[in-house]
Amino acid sequence: LSYYVERAEALALANNAIAIGEQLVREYPASAEFRRELANALSCKSSNLIRPSPAPQAVAEAIPIRRRALELNEATLADLRSNLPGVLQPERPKDDEGRMVSESRLWAEFDVALKSRSLAFLYQTQNDWRAAADMLNQSASYYKDLVEQNPSVATFSLNLANCFRDRVDAAKHDNDRKQTAA
């Protein structure tokens, strides 16, 4: 949204999507698709809060929103891993073009890795290097698993490398020589 519309309009659209997502998640609490869409709407809102530049007050407002998106993604991944009944419900109508896209553990794990790293970015902007490092460690663990299970998917390897780079930067800023060396 942020590339196509003004910030205020993007925030209004995100708030509308969040309201719809909250309603759908209340109605279908186990639905991986609806929780993922709500998490994406929350992420859009947090991204638009900090644009065009991440001011401290805007970042402070964006952190709990982005954390909630991460928590939704983590819960969705856990439910997909455990084959929770209803996690793939409601099923789209047979003629719905969106039916070709379905929830999977692979992309749910990617969502957790991505949201962990994006939350680390917010902590970095606030110079909270310990919290950033924790989120980067979490992100790296998911990316490592994704790379090991899917070595031909370049985006996983690239994101893992970037995550390691960011982790080194966080360790340097935190004066953590042991982690910087590692």
Side-chain angles (χ1 to χ4, degrees):
L1 292 175
S2 60
Y3 299 110
Y4 304 108
V5 297
E6 295 296 320
R7 180 179 183 265
E9 184 180 355
L11 285 169
L13 290 169
N15 284 333
N16 189 42
I18 290 168
I20 292 167
E22 295 284 9
Q23 180 180 349
L24 289 169
V25 168
R26 274 192 304 277
E27 194 171 331
Y28 300 95
S31 172
E33 181 177 2
F34 293 153
R35 286 184 287 167
R36 184 177 196 224
E37 291 303 319
L38 175 55
N40 288 341
L42 289 162
S43 291
C44 283
K45 180 175 181 173
S46 69
S47 293
N48 280 291
L49 282 170
I50 62 171
R51 80 173 194 160
S53 64
Q57 184 177 354
V59 171
E61 189 178 342
I63 285 175
I65 296 168
R66 199 165 284 180
R67 177 162 291 289
R68 176 145 186 260
L70 172 61
E71 290 166 356
L72 283 164
N73 287 132
E74 289 171 329
T76 299
L77 176 59
D79 291 349
L80 284 166
R81 284 179 169 164
S82 68
N83 294 313
L84 179 75
V87 75
L88 299 177
Q89 299 298 321
E91 194 171 327
R92 290 178 180 266
K94 298 223 182 287
D95 60 343
D96 189 329
E97 290 179 13
R99 194 174 169 89
M100 65 186 266
V101 179
S102 63
E103 296 303 315
S104 73
R105 286 187 287 191
L106 171 96
W107 293 109
E109 191 168 358
F110 177 76
D111 287 341
V112 173
L114 187 67
K115 298 279 185 352
S116 298
R117 186 163 175 242
S118 70
L119 188 55
F121 167 76
L122 293 181
Y123 287 128
Q124 288 170 326
T125 63
Q126 289 193 322
N127 294 320
D128 186 346
W129 300 106
R130 179 59 22 219
D134 290 343
M135 287 292 96
L136 289 165
N137 288 340
Q138 177 174 313
S139 182
S141 71
Y142 284 104
Y143 280 128
K144 280 187 216 175
D145 183 57
L146 287 165
V147 169
E148 287 172 6
Q149 301 301 319
N150 309 278
S152 64
V153 181
T155 193
F156 298 158
S157 299
L158 177 63
N159 279 304
L160 177 59
N162 289 334
C163 196
F164 283 148
R165 184 203 64 228
D166 292 348
R167 181 60 183 95
V168 169
D169 288 344
K172 285 179 184 176
H173 280 90
D174 199 32
N175 243 358
D176 187 342
R177 293 174 192 235
K178 183 178 176 183
Q179 280 298 315
T180 301

